[in-house]
Amino acid sequence: MTKLIGNAVVGQSGGPTAAINATLAGVIRGVKEDVANGAIKTLYGMRNGVQGLLEERLVDLSAFFDCEEKIDMLEHTPAAALGSCRKKLPKLGEDDAVFEKLLAIFKKYDIRYFFYIGGNDSMDTVAKLSAYTKDHDYEMRIMGVPKTIDNDLVVTDHTPGFGSAAKYIAVTMQEVIRDCAVYTIPAVTIVEIMGRDAGWLTAAAGIGRVAGGVAPDLIYLPERAFNKDEFFEDLRAKLAEKPNVVIAVSEGIRFADGTYVCEGFGVASVDAFGHKQLSGTGKALEYAVKNELGCKVRSIELNLPQRCAAHVASATDLAESVSVGRAAVKAAGEGVTREMMTIVRKSTSPYVFEVGHNDISVIANQVKHVPAEFINARGNNVTDECAAYLMPLIVGEAAPKYKNGIPQFLIIE
Amino acid sequence: MTKLIGNAVVGQSGGPTAAINATLAGVIRGVKEDVANGAIKTLYGMRNGVQGLLEERLVDLSAFFDCEEKIDMLEHTPAAALGSCRKKLPKLGEDDAVFEKLLAIFKKYDIRYFFYIGGNDSMDTVAKLSAYTKDHDYEMRIMGVPKTIDNDLVVTDHTPGFGSAAKYIAVTMQEVIRDCAVYTIPAVTIVEIMGRDAGWLTAAAGIGRVAGGVAPDLIYLPERAFNKDEFFEDLRAKLAEKPNVVIAVSEGIRFADGTYVCEGFGVASVDAFGHKQLSGTGKALEYAVKNELGCKVRSIELNLPQRCAAHVASATDLAESVSVGRAAVKAAGEGVTREMMTIVRKSTSPYVFEVGHNDISVIANQVKHVPAEFINARGNNVTDECAAYLMPLIVGEAAPKYKNGIPQFLIIE
């Protein structure tokens, strides 16, 4: 294969994570260290993903090459330093104007390398751009670099960003469960965790079981239908054993008929302005348990901090996130295109991974669920096998540098 | 003063914090190092505060003396390792049976030293026990050792436990504000922070302003009446400047007529079971802003993690928390009684503190509010002076030891 010489552009897309900037740092390192062997001239960053690219809002990232400290700070900075977008490209053939525009911009800036860091929707963008540029004979190396706290991409063992969110959840559970244990009066605490369709993050609440810590008494994932009667039965049994019961639930849990628990239990809420408001799943369950058992109940929605808590990022996750970014540059330089970088688990104990890549078309628009063997028979907890599988991903503490008591994060001006 | 030789008991009471066990560790260290100069024989811990003491649920803490590693682990463990209670003792003279019982227990176990780690209600317990034992000529050294994330105790410059909660809030604001900044569409994020009557914790959200970080655009404390019209006016002005506006609010903010914002804005909510449910302040404001401005709005309730996030505890706070515990033992050994330990700020820059103590009767049952000069004229933010006052309290990272990706905390069996 002849060497393809040109410029590169990297973008971030979809929901931010604590590790997506580590992958950006990996791409920057890859270009800086010239792992593409002279093929890449200038590295641009697109502001707000393809949305900013369409507006030609580009930033020259070469400025980073001179400053190791800045790359290091970027690695530990949460959210998306280049900004993100939720733009979904149209189906090919339906409205090609946007693709024509993108192709014109690629030509204008001599962009031959396209690195897109994102989740499921972003891989859809990568797949469509791959197909379009191929159809139009524009030689280009297009690489998807995965990130999502949801861990719901197929083919890759897990996704960069997941480990740090999982660590936040597992660590927070250690603290919350202890906090809940200080009083002797019966109390139920419900922790709502992100994950609309896949229960990976909620499963991470159970890691303490095999890691020498504590874990929730009951864990409910969206992979299994939520049975109200069994739930109250199991909760009563736990309360008979101990006064403080802690429950972790995915925001996306549904009843057998497909209704979300937050709809089925909370739909009648009307706010002060007369609008119907859908409470969260945790809040809906809080009301339901209060109504059924009459005991003290509270709910905690982990909310944004679970995806941006860089101060308690997983060192394993950050290292992998950098690796996939760097490896994407190397692979593209070697001629790989229209693929997504993957993490290949070689061994769980000791934990060993390799970086690979796979055809994007078999990855985009699919959801990887928590497998059946990772959920117990009753559907109210994860198995030890699941916790043991997840544990290596949260190992190691990758703290940012602090000054005046707060972490120092990088802003790309 | 003659030396008072006997046993000691230490208890924890009220809401847990990330630093209350550090104070317990300080008391243990004080007795271990014999700062009371031979006066204290055995150190007991009371399970669940005075409630457990009344049931004679005591644990001999001398087992800690042989293991520095255990004391160190205790220092970094959140919540209350001895358990806590919310028991308020009756007024003296109203129902003295409970005091008689406590006195009998003191005599039975030869308890001459009583250390009670807690907040406002706990200092009330200390004041009442002080008065009762004095009236009944039982020679005893009774010391209140402050802890509360609310920082609402008078006389002391601030309270142990506050600095760690403030650090969690200031750090989380760095992350959440960056997370909110990744998209270009207008969005309002409301962060609800603990503090029913005093706005100290919410004020901590503003520390980033002087610490080289970021801070919310608007901050509302319960010390100032919440004006709905000014709020929407100020919010519109901020949204005209930038797409992403972040607001921090105390859970306890009220309108000028004294109605809580969560009642005034959210009272009409009825859940699926037909019960009136009071949404939190953040959620109530979320609905109100959505209704008024129609833009994307979300609310985040920091909830329990703000008081138990030991993984991001302030090193300054933990060191002070240990100091007050240790110093309480020393002071009691020297004859001090019926006093609360205090932190005396000698200088802000560089930050220097001393440990002192003060008559409990002038401390109990009062609330220290954020002073007027710490809030701007418009009442929608804190001043730089406030942020600079708070900053030293969050300096330094006191991480627990990790194993398998999660922090190692101590459980007292």
Side-chain angles (χ1 to χ4, degrees):
Chain A
M1 187 167 293
T2 57
K3 190 190 282 187
L4 176 64
I5 295 177
N7 297 322
V9 69
V10 58
Q12 298 171 308
S13 170
T17 79
I20 185 168
N21 287 327
T23 298
L24 175 60
V27 171
I28 292 172
R29 285 193 191 284
V31 177
K32 179 190 173 186
E33 294 163 16
D34 195 20
V35 295
N37 205 11
I40 295 176
K41 293 184 295 181
T42 299
L43 174 64
Y44 295 108
M46 48 184 122
R47 293 282 190 184
N48 302 106
V50 286
Q51 185 186 309
L53 180 60
L54 282 163
E55 296 157 5
E56 295 181 50
R57 291 192 284 120
L58 297 172
V59 53
D60 187 343
L61 294 174
S62 316
F64 272 91
F65 296 173
D66 297 333
C67 187
E68 182 59 31
E69 199 187 337
K70 271 175 78 175
I71 303 178
D72 186 73
M73 196 186 277
L74 178 63
E75 266 180 41
H76 293 87
T77 296
L82 288 172
S84 186
C85 71
R86 290 266 182 212
K87 191 171 179 66
K88 187 146 184 167
L89 297 182
K91 267 192 184 167
L92 284 172
E94 273 189 0
D95 172 16
D96 281 0
V98 63
F99 293 104
E100 285 161 25
K101 191 165 181 190
L102 285 170
L103 185 55
I105 291 167
F106 292 153
K107 288 177 178 169
K108 178 175 174 185
Y109 291 91
D110 189 27
I111 289 169
R112 297 285 175 178
Y113 293 85
F114 183 92
F115 302 103
Y116 211 45
I117 313 168
N120 244 323
D121 287 343
S122 314
M123 293 311 126
D124 178 74
T125 296
V126 170
K128 285 170 178 164
L129 269 181
S130 291
Y132 186 86
T133 51
K134 194 173 180 185
D135 288 352
H136 290 75
D137 286 327
Y138 182 73
E139 199 181 355
M140 199 169 187
R141 308 276 161 80
I142 300 184
M143 304 295 290
V145 195
K147 75 80 216 166
T148 166
I149 61 164
D150 292 329
N151 195 38
D152 58 354
L153 290 176
V154 296
V155 181
T156 186
D157 178 74
H158 57 277
T159 55
F162 170 68
S164 291
K167 186 181 184 82
Y168 175 83
I169 289 162
V171 168
T172 299
M173 291 313 310
Q174 304 310 306
E175 297 168 337
V176 164
I177 290 171
R178 270 175 185 76
D179 188 289
C180 292
V182 302
Y183 298 119
T184 51
I185 53 163
V188 176
T189 303
I190 300 158
V191 182
E192 178 187 327
I193 296 169
M194 284 180 173
R196 206 77 191 148
D197 299 307
W200 292 104
L201 280 177
T202 307
I207 293 176
R209 284 177 58 182
V210 298
V214 290
D217 302 290
L218 298 163
I219 298 179
Y220 296 95
L221 311 187
E223 278 80 0
R224 292 284 283 270
F226 183 80
N227 183 309
K228 190 176 62 161
D229 298 328
E230 288 185 8
F231 169 67
F232 287 129
E233 194 180 310
D234 295 347
L235 181 52
R236 281 199 177 88
K238 291 288 177 190
L239 281 167
E241 284 170 29
K242 53 195 279 203
N244 295 287
V245 174
V246 177
I247 304 168
V249 296
S250 276
E251 57 178 340
I253 52 171
R254 270 162 279 195
F255 296 111
D257 67 359
T259 318
Y260 282 103
V261 168
C262 59
E263 290 170 350
F265 273 151
V267 75
S269 288
V270 176
D271 71 16
F273 309 98
H275 299 149
K276 199 172 92 175
Q277 294 288 354
L278 202 58
S279 63
T281 303
K283 194 54 88 178
L285 276 177
E286 176 190 324
Y287 296 162
V289 172
K290 216 176 270 175
N291 191 61
E292 179 80 13
L293 276 71
C295 66
K296 187 182 162 193
V297 193
R298 85 184 123 203
S299 63
I300 302 172
E301 189 186 346
L302 292 188
N303 217 311
L304 288 197
Q306 70 198 292
R307 76 178 189 196
C308 63
H311 74 271
V312 64
S314 154
T316 300
D317 181 34
L318 286 203
E320 290 181 343
S321 299
V322 172
S323 290
V324 292
R326 192 177 179 283
V329 175
K330 187 160 189 288
E334 288 164 354
V336 176
T337 184
R338 302 176 181 92
E339 302 229 328
M340 185 187 84
M341 304 306 294
T342 59
I343 297 174
V344 183
R345 185 188 295 236
K346 306 302 284 186
S347 153
T348 289
S349 182
Y351 177 67
V352 181
F353 78 99
E354 267 179 14
V355 174
H357 41 79
N358 228 295
D359 186 354
I360 193 79
S361 63
V362 304
I363 292 171
N365 303 309
Q366 296 190 65
V367 174
K368 185 174 74 175
H369 293 285
V370 176
E373 68 269 24
F374 279 6
I375 305 171
N376 69 359
R378 180 75 169 178
N380 68 7
N381 216 320
V382 296
T383 59
D384 281 355
E385 185 190 353
C386 175
Y389 170 86
L390 295 173
M391 194 181 78
L393 312 184
I394 70 164
V395 167
E397 292 65 55
K401 287 208 172 69
Y402 281 75
K403 195 178 161 191
N404 297 326
I406 58 172
Q408 301 294 289
F409 295 139
L410 188 98
I411 293 175
I412 298 179
E413 301 294 352
Chain B
M1 186 166 295
T2 56
K3 190 189 280 186
L4 177 63
I5 296 177
N7 298 321
V9 69
V10 57
Q12 298 171 309
S13 169
T17 79
I20 186 168
N21 287 327
T23 298
L24 174 60
V27 171
I28 292 172
R29 284 194 192 284
V31 176
K32 178 190 173 185
E33 295 163 17
D34 195 19
V35 296
N37 206 12
I40 296 176
K41 294 184 294 181
T42 299
L43 174 64
Y44 295 108
M46 49 184 121
R47 293 281 190 186
N48 302 106
V50 286
Q51 184 186 309
L53 179 60
L54 281 163
E55 296 157 3
E56 294 181 51
R57 289 192 286 119
L58 297 172
V59 53
D60 187 343
L61 295 173
S62 316
F64 272 91
F65 296 174
D66 296 333
C67 188
E68 183 59 31
E69 200 187 336
K70 272 176 76 175
I71 303 178
D72 186 72
M73 196 186 276
L74 178 63
E75 265 178 42
H76 294 87
T77 296
L82 287 171
S84 185
C85 71
R86 289 266 182 212
K87 190 171 180 66
K88 188 147 183 164
L89 296 182
K91 266 191 184 167
L92 285 173
E94 273 188 0
D95 172 16
D96 281 2
V98 62
F99 294 104
E100 284 162 26
K101 191 165 181 188
L102 284 170
L103 185 55
I105 291 166
F106 291 154
K107 287 178 178 169
K108 177 176 174 185
Y109 290 92
D110 190 26
I111 289 169
R112 296 286 176 177
Y113 293 85
F114 183 93
F115 303 103
Y116 212 45
I117 313 168
N120 244 322
D121 287 343
S122 314
M123 293 310 127
D124 177 74
T125 297
V126 170
K128 284 170 179 164
L129 269 182
S130 293
Y132 186 84
T133 51
K134 195 174 180 186
D135 288 350
H136 290 74
D137 286 329
Y138 181 74
E139 199 181 355
M140 199 169 186
R141 309 276 160 80
I142 300 184
M143 304 295 291
V145 195
K147 75 79 218 167
T148 164
I149 61 164
D150 292 329
N151 195 37
D152 59 354
L153 289 176
V154 296
V155 181
T156 186
D157 178 74
H158 56 278
T159 55
F162 169 68
S164 292
K167 187 181 184 83
Y168 175 83
I169 289 162
V171 168
T172 299
M173 292 313 310
Q174 305 310 304
E175 297 168 338
V176 164
I177 290 171
R178 271 175 184 76
D179 188 288
C180 292
V182 302
Y183 297 119
T184 51
I185 53 163
V188 176
T189 303
I190 300 158
V191 182
E192 178 186 329
I193 296 169
M194 283 181 175
R196 206 76 191 149
D197 298 307
W200 292 105
L201 280 177
T202 307
I207 293 176
R209 285 177 57 181
V210 299
V214 290
D217 302 290
L218 298 164
I219 299 179
Y220 296 95
L221 312 187
E223 278 81 0
R224 291 284 282 270
F226 183 80
N227 182 309
K228 190 176 64 165
D229 298 329
E230 288 185 8
F231 168 69
F232 287 129
E233 195 180 310
D234 296 347
L235 180 53
R236 281 198 176 88
K238 291 288 176 190
L239 281 167
E241 284 169 28
K242 54 195 278 202
N244 295 288
V245 174
V246 177
I247 304 169
V249 296
S250 276
E251 58 177 339
I253 52 171
R254 270 162 277 196
F255 296 111
D257 68 0
T259 319
Y260 282 103
V261 168
C262 60
E263 289 170 350
F265 273 152
V267 74
S269 288
V270 176
D271 71 15
F273 310 98
H275 299 150
K276 201 172 91 174
Q277 293 288 355
L278 202 58
S279 63
T281 302
K283 196 50 89 176
L285 276 176
E286 176 189 325
Y287 296 162
V289 171
K290 217 176 269 175
N291 192 60
E292 179 80 15
L293 276 72
C295 66
K296 186 182 162 193
V297 193
R298 86 184 120 203
S299 63
I300 302 171
E301 189 185 346
L302 292 189
N303 217 310
L304 288 197
Q306 70 198 292
R307 77 176 187 197
C308 63
H311 74 272
V312 64
S314 154
T316 300
D317 181 34
L318 285 204
E320 290 182 343
S321 299
V322 171
S323 290
V324 292
R326 192 177 178 283
V329 176
K330 187 161 189 289
E334 288 164 354
V336 175
T337 183
R338 302 176 181 92
E339 303 229 325
M340 185 188 85
M341 303 307 294
T342 60
I343 297 172
V344 183
R345 184 188 296 237
K346 306 301 285 184
S347 154
T348 288
S349 182
Y351 177 67
V352 181
F353 79 98
E354 268 178 15
V355 173
H357 41 79
N358 228 293
D359 185 354
I360 192 79
S361 63
V362 304
I363 293 171
N365 303 309
Q366 295 190 64
V367 174
K368 185 173 76 176
H369 293 286
V370 177
E373 68 269 24
F374 279 6
I375 305 170
N376 70 358
R378 181 75 169 178
N380 68 8
N381 216 320
V382 296
T383 60
D384 282 355
E385 186 190 354
C386 176
Y389 170 86
L390 294 173
M391 193 180 79
L393 311 184
I394 70 163
V395 168
E397 293 65 55
K401 288 207 170 70
Y402 281 75
K403 194 178 160 189
N404 296 327
I406 58 172
Q408 300 295 290
F409 296 139
L410 188 98
I411 293 173
I412 298 179
E413 300 295 351

